[in-house]
Structures are given as C-alpha cells and as structure tokens.
Amino acid sequence: MEHFIVSARKYRPQTFEDVVGQQAITNTLENAIKNNHLAQALLFTGPRGVGKTSCARILAKRINEEASTNSTDEDFAFNIFELDAASNNSVDDIRNLTDQVRIPPQTGKYKVYIIDEVHMLSQAAFNAFLKTLEEPPAHAIFILATTEKHKIIPTILSRCQIFDFKRIGVLDAKEYLKSICAKENITADDDALHIIAQKADGAMRDALSIFDRVVSFSGNNLTREAVTQNLNVLDYDVYFHMTDLLLENKIPEVLMAYNEVLSKGFEGHHFINGLASHFRDLLVAKDAATIALLEVGDNAKKKYLEQATKAGMQFLLTAIDKANDCDLKYRGSKNQRLLVELTLMQIASITFDGAKKKSSNYIIPATFFTALTPSKPKIPAVKKQVHEVIKEAATATKPVAVEKTAPVPPQETAKPQLKDIKRRTSALSLKSIHQKKEYKSVEEEENYDNHPRTPFSQEQLKDVWKKYYFKLQDMGERSMAAIIASDDPKLYENFKIAISVPNELMKSQVEKGKPKLLKFLREKLNNYGIQIVIHLNETVEKKFAYTPHEKYEKLKEKNPLIEKLKTTFGLDL
C-alpha cells in the first residue's frame, strides 16, 4: 500500500507564487530580497492556515538560495533553524538560542531562525530575548509567527517588522482547489468546491483537509449533494424553499419545513444564522452595484437573482432584523425551538395584507388557515368583478345603460358576505342580555375538534389551579381569587372539572370569570376538551374566613398549637 500524503503537506507552497491570497505580502518580501532591504526581525501574524509558516520557510530558503547546495525539495537548509515556542517556551530555551546566534554560518550569508507560535513564550523568556532581537548579529535573521499578536508584549512588537496575513477569500480557495482537482484527475462541481471553501472559513489548510475527507467519502467525483451530506451543512436549496414559503405566508408549511431541518440533526441557532445570511445575499442581489459581494457559485447566483425579484426590500430588511434579534436571544432562551418558530411565523406575516393594522410582532391568526373554505366567496373576488365592470364601462364607445340585469353594485354584492355581522345594541336593552347569554353558550361550545386533548391528573389540575390563583392575586382580582381558593377542583370523566360555591352571588361571579379560567386551564394543560361545572353548595360557606377572628379560628382548627403560641408570647389578633 502506497503511503498517503495529505494535501496540506503535498501541496504546501514551495515558492511565493504558490502562496494563495497573500499577494501583497509575497510581493513585499520578493522586493525586499531583490533590493537587499530586508529587516532582521519579522513578525508574521494572522489566522490559522493562511500561509505564515510556509512564507517563513520560503523566505528562509530564498535568502540563502545561492549558498544552499541542498535539493529544493527539502523543507530546511542547513543554516535554517525552526523553533516551536509552544514546547520550548522557557528562559533556558531562549538562552540556548541566543548562544547559537553568536556563531556565524559555516557557508552562506545568513542564519535564519523561525520561531513558530511565539506568543506561547513566557514573560521571562520574552525579556531574555529582547536584547538579542533589538541588536542581532549581522548574519542572523529572526522570523516570528503567531496567530495571537495581542499576547506578545509591546517591546517585542516594536522591534519587529509586522506582516498581517489576511483570511483567504472563498473564490481564491475555490480556484486553488480546482487546480488540485485537475492535478489529481478529480471531477468536481463548482458548487461543491464553493461549499468546501466556505466551510474552511478563510483557512487554506482547513480547506485542503476538508477536501481530502470529501474525496475519501465520494471518490473522484465531487457533487454538491455528497459534500453537503458529508460535511453536515444545510444546502442552500433549504433556504430557497423556506424563503418561498415565507413570502407566500404559508405558516403551517414553514413550521413543517423547520421541523424537517431539526430532524436532520441541525441546531436552530445554525439554521437561523444561515437564514439571516440568505436574506443578506438576497438583499445584495437586488442591486447590480452590490452583486460582486455575492460570494456564491454561478448556479447559486442565478437562483439568488431570481428569488431577489420576488422578495421586496422592506420584507428583506424586516426579516433580517427579526432573524438577527432571534440570534441574539437564542442562547438565553429556555425554549429555543419556540423562539425560532415564533420568529419564522412573524417573518411569514410581514407581507400578509389581511389585517388593517399590524404590530411589529404580528402573526397571522390560525383561523386564517382553518376557517376559510373554497366554498365561501371572498370579498376580493367581488371587488375584482366590480373593477372589470367599471373598466368595461369606461372603455365603451357608447354610454352604458345599467339595466336590471346588470352586475350588482359593490355595496349590494358585499351584503351576503357580511350578513353574519351583528349590529351593536345598547348594553341596557333586553336584547343585549340575550346576546350575552348566547355569546357565553357559543364560547363554551366552540369547536376544538382539531385541538389536542392531552390527559392530565388531579395533581396537575391542582398545580395549574394554584397558578391561576396567584395570577388573579397579581392582577388585583382578590375576590375571584378567594372564591376559587375556597374549594379544590374535582376532575371527572371526559375532562369535566367541578367546583362548589356557597351562594348565587359567588356563582354568578365565577360564571363571569369562567371564560378566562377555561382558557388558562386549556392552554396550560394542553387539553381543549376541558369543561367547568359550577355547583351551588351552601355548606361550603363555612370555609370562608373574612374577619381576623374568623381567620384565627380557622388556623387554630388546622394547628391547635397556635393557641399556645398566642398565650405564651401574649400576641394579639
């Protein structure tokens, strides 16, 4: 079996021309060598995998290129020394280095010292290195490399010529991967290489490592589907489909699509971040001047341009704001899935025009998706018919005489649609009292066939009942709170809950607050089949204690030791 060499080592740059995405730095170093204008202390800083160590090795070889007799395939010449500061970070290691610096090279002009991860040196090691770095011998050149420049003491930074390496662009990384595919006889989709370059996050070494992994998975034919499956990344088709559903106000389909994303093992935070980036790309694609900022493949760019024509500017700006707000709140949320779902429902309601006044967090009511049926005519269709009649009358060559068989005017056509709307009546009239009774009966018998009916126990009922009691206390409704605290609710078959009250006055008060209580119980217990039955039981009245003396007697019945406590300390009521 032939020994396998990873691409990060196999295709490590051997010349400055091979370095990807750092043209400004490589040109500066080339000119410094040609013009004999090279500093004796250089600091290469930047993110991981962008070519710092590779450039240091290339520079070290170029300095002594004329004197070196070794093969160009070797990584080190005999007068090039590389020190790993992560494992050699003590004062003794630096002192040994400074002792070696004094000895001139046997052949060649310079001794080059490459100190990698220099930020790992201890404070004492930095101090021991200061004098040598400030006044090195004429034959010594130091090249320091680090990913964390802020950890290096300022006195070291002031003695070095600093080169800041930047992240490698997605397009540059993709082109380099494409050249490797040509050398390795691998066919790859443009989108597949683009996803690998994006996943690398500006590090060429990471891009090559991911490339090796994907090739091992799919062989010599890299497809977009294989790459997304292997890297476990969300395909951009998911975001295109989700955006289409959001623009069409299809909230149920949006929630199902999000559930499918979660079922594949993706986190909601990762999804909402990707959706915000997708909205940003759509916003960029709307203007010809900013299309250059769209770092995607050619096939994806066509889709972005097509969907950007459907999405309005106001929709995209609002959607980005809501997605960003969800991103900020995600880590602190206790119900993260619900937070993302609410955000998606709000985004899906942005372009909904069925409400006259909408708040910033408006969500389309659920009745919009369940109540409307195809058999019911809609008012917009009637308006369209009226507009067609008006247009026909305006374009006719002769005056149009409206006969009895002519289309019905708008106000008459709309009447069948509004026949169910009841006129307001006086609150003091007898009719209003009957209407209130009818309203209560309708509210109690509302159809909840499609809603959940989760079973619950007597203990769960008591816990929720107690929560509603405290809620009433906070709202200042102490009378209603005292009534529901007077008796424990009883759970019967078919989710019927019975409560006993001592007199008609309290019964009427419970009847008045019954809709709110019923709604609270149904939501908290996730059961919309709950019904409340109120019994009149005059024996319950004994349970109420209003005066301080009655409350004291009530407490004494529960714990006789209270009487002893009172007499011992001489307490008053």
Side-chain angles (χ1 to χ4, degrees):
M1 182 178 177
E2 187 180 352
H3 179 64
F4 173 71
I5 302 175
V6 296
S7 297
R9 287 182 56 199
K10 186 176 181 180
Y11 294 100
R12 180 187 285 273
Q14 300 299 318
T15 63
F16 283 131
E17 290 76 12
D18 297 336
V19 180
V20 180
Q22 309 294 345
Q23 283 75 19
I25 293 176
T26 56
N27 291 341
T28 303
L29 295 175
E30 282 275 12
N31 293 332
I33 294 171
K34 289 178 182 178
N35 301 326
N36 194 22
H37 200 264
L38 192 67
Q40 286 192 277
L42 307 171
L43 175 64
F44 292 171
T45 178
R48 69 186 191 282
V50 295
K52 298 186 298 297
T53 306
S54 296
C55 282
R57 292 175 178 177
I58 295 169
L59 178 61
K61 290 167 67 176
R62 285 293 306 276
I63 292 171
N64 286 302
E65 193 172 26
E66 297 178 0
S68 178
T69 58
N70 290 38
S71 172
T72 55
D73 293 333
E74 295 293 331
D75 285 335
F76 300 98
F78 58 87
N79 52 354
I80 298 174
F81 304 91
E82 186 165 359
L83 178 70
D84 180 20
S87 55
N88 302 279
N89 56 4
S90 65
V91 179
D92 293 335
D93 295 319
I94 296 300
R95 284 174 180 166
N96 292 334
L97 178 65
T98 55
D99 290 340
Q100 293 178 13
V101 170
R102 297 172 186 172
I103 304 171
Q106 298 299 316
T107 59
K109 191 176 181 181
Y110 296 103
K111 289 178 75 174
V112 183
Y113 294 88
I114 301 173
I115 304 178
D116 206 1
E117 303 298 336
V118 70
H119 67 275
M120 300 292 286
L121 290 177
S122 63
Q123 185 75 21
F126 272 129
N127 293 332
F129 191 39
L130 277 175
K131 193 64 177 176
T132 304
L133 196 64
E134 184 176 13
E135 298 177 358
H139 59 265
I141 292 180
F142 294 96
I143 305 176
L144 314 181
T146 180
T147 55
E148 301 183 49
K149 184 175 68 172
H150 61 279
K151 291 186 178 180
I152 301 175
I153 60 176
T155 48
I156 293 286
L157 294 176
S158 65
R159 289 165 168 81
C160 296
Q161 192 175 83
I162 301 174
F163 291 86
D164 287 302
F165 284 67
K166 63 181 181 180
R167 290 181 180 274
I168 298 173
V170 175
L171 298 180
D172 290 336
K174 184 178 72 172
E175 290 301 321
Y176 191 67
L177 291 175
K178 193 178 292 185
S179 66
I180 294 176
C181 288
K183 295 175 184 177
E184 298 288 340
N185 295 322
I186 296 173
T187 58
D189 293 346
D190 187 72
D191 289 340
L193 297 179
H194 190 89
I195 293 171
I196 295 174
Q198 278 185 322
K199 186 73 173 177
D201 193 25
M204 197 67 237
R205 184 170 60 238
D206 291 356
L208 293 171
S209 300
I210 295 170
F211 176 77
D212 286 343
R213 185 173 122 199
V214 175
V215 169
S216 300
F217 172 74
S218 58
N220 292 337
N221 184 21
L222 299 185
T223 61
R224 178 170 59 88
E225 292 77 13
V227 171
T228 53
Q229 182 181 354
N230 182 259
L231 299 182
N232 197 29
V233 296
L234 274 171
D235 194 358
Y236 59 73
D237 281 342
V238 173
Y239 295 118
F240 279 115
H241 176 62
M242 179 64 76
T243 304
D244 285 335
L245 295 177
L246 293 171
L247 288 170
E248 295 170 7
N249 314 121
K250 296 181 178 180
I251 289 182
E253 289 82 351
V254 166
L255 298 179
M256 292 302 296
Y258 177 58
N259 182 68
E260 186 177 350
V261 170
L262 294 179
S263 65
K264 292 179 180 178
F266 295 102
E267 286 189 0
H269 202 188
H270 175 68
F271 169 78
I272 203 68
N273 281 335
L275 188 63
S277 299
H278 181 75
F279 290 147
R280 175 262 180 195
D281 291 340
L282 288 174
L283 194 63
V284 165
K286 289 189 74 68
D287 194 337
T290 57
I291 290 180
L293 300 175
L294 202 61
E295 292 186 342
V296 295
D298 294 335
N299 295 332
K301 185 175 288 186
K302 293 178 183 177
K303 292 187 176 182
Y304 273 106
L305 294 173
E306 181 182 350
Q307 193 172 70
T309 59
K310 302 178 185 177
M313 186 71 73
Q314 187 60 40
F315 168 80
L316 292 175
L317 292 173
T318 309
I320 290 173
D321 182 59
K322 291 185 178 297
N324 184 57
D325 186 57
C326 178
D327 177 30
L328 296 174
K329 294 178 180 177
Y330 190 87
R331 292 300 179 193
S333 175
K334 293 184 179 180
N335 194 339
Q336 295 172 336
R337 174 168 181 167
L338 179 60
L339 175 66
V340 178
E341 288 176 338
L342 285 173
T343 302
L344 292 174
M345 287 190 286
Q346 291 172 8
I347 294 174
S349 305
I350 294 173
T351 58
F352 181 69
D353 57 356
K356 292 182 179 179
K357 294 183 179 179
K358 295 192 295 185
S359 64
S360 58
N361 296 326
Y362 174 78
I363 295 176
I364 303 172
T367 54
F368 176 78
F369 303 101
T370 57
L372 292 178
T373 57
S375 59
K376 291 184 179 181
K378 300 178 184 179
I379 295 179
V382 177
K383 290 182 178 179
K384 184 177 180 181
Q385 180 185 0
V386 173
H387 285 309
E388 289 178 355
V389 173
I390 296 173
K391 185 177 179 181
E392 183 180 353
T395 55
T397 54
K398 296 180 181 180
V400 179
V402 180
E403 300 177 356
K404 292 183 179 180
T405 58
V408 184
Q411 64 272 19
E412 295 182 8
T413 308
K415 283 182 180 179
Q417 304 295 323
L418 307 174
K419 64 181 180 181
D420 294 330
I421 298 178
K422 297 178 180 180
R423 296 186 178 182
R424 297 179 63 182
T425 56
S426 172
L428 301 176
S429 66
L430 189 61
K431 185 177 179 180
S432 68
I433 298 174
H434 290 299
Q435 284 182 353
K436 289 180 181 179
K437 290 182 178 180
E438 290 175 3
Y439 171 74
K440 287 183 179 180
S441 62
V442 169
E443 187 175 15
E444 292 175 3
E445 297 174 3
E446 189 174 351
N447 185 13
Y448 287 108
D449 293 339
N450 298 326
H451 288 61
R453 295 172 182 263
T454 306
F456 58 92
S457 63
Q458 178 72 27
E459 293 300 321
Q460 291 175 315
L461 173 61
K462 286 184 178 180
D463 290 340
V464 176
W465 196 269
K466 190 181 295 183
K467 289 179 182 178
Y468 191 68
Y469 166 78
F470 289 118
K471 181 181 178 181
L472 291 173
Q473 290 280 4
D474 294 338
M475 294 170 61
E477 300 182 13
R478 301 185 182 278
S479 178
M480 182 66 180
I483 293 173
I484 69 167
S486 65
D487 189 42
D488 292 332
K490 312 289 191 303
L491 177 62
Y492 296 98
E493 294 182 358
N494 298 327
F495 310 117
K496 287 188 177 180
I497 299 173
I499 178 176
S500 298
V501 293
N503 52 52
E504 287 288 348
L505 180 62
M506 291 185 177
K507 183 179 179 181
S508 64
Q509 194 166 354
V510 175
E511 288 283 1
K512 185 178 179 181
K514 181 179 172 182
K516 293 182 180 179
L517 173 60
L518 197 59
K519 180 181 178 183
F520 183 84
L521 294 175
R522 286 172 174 174
E523 290 179 353
K524 292 295 181 181
L525 295 170
N526 197 29
N527 189 315
Y528 288 80
I530 294 176
Q531 296 294 334
I532 296 178
V533 180
I534 305 171
H535 295 299
L536 185 62
N537 186 4
E538 296 181 359
T539 59
V540 182
E541 192 165 12
K542 296 289 184 182
K543 296 183 180 180
F544 285 90
Y546 294 103
T547 65
H549 182 73
E550 290 175 346
K551 291 179 182 178
Y552 171 71
E553 293 296 332
K554 190 82 173 175
L555 291 173
K556 193 167 70 173
E557 289 178 8
K558 294 184 178 180
N559 191 348
L561 293 176
I562 291 180
E563 177 69 23
K564 185 178 179 181
L565 180 70
K566 176 189 173 187
T567 55
T568 302
F569 293 98
L571 301 176
D572 196 2
L573 294 179

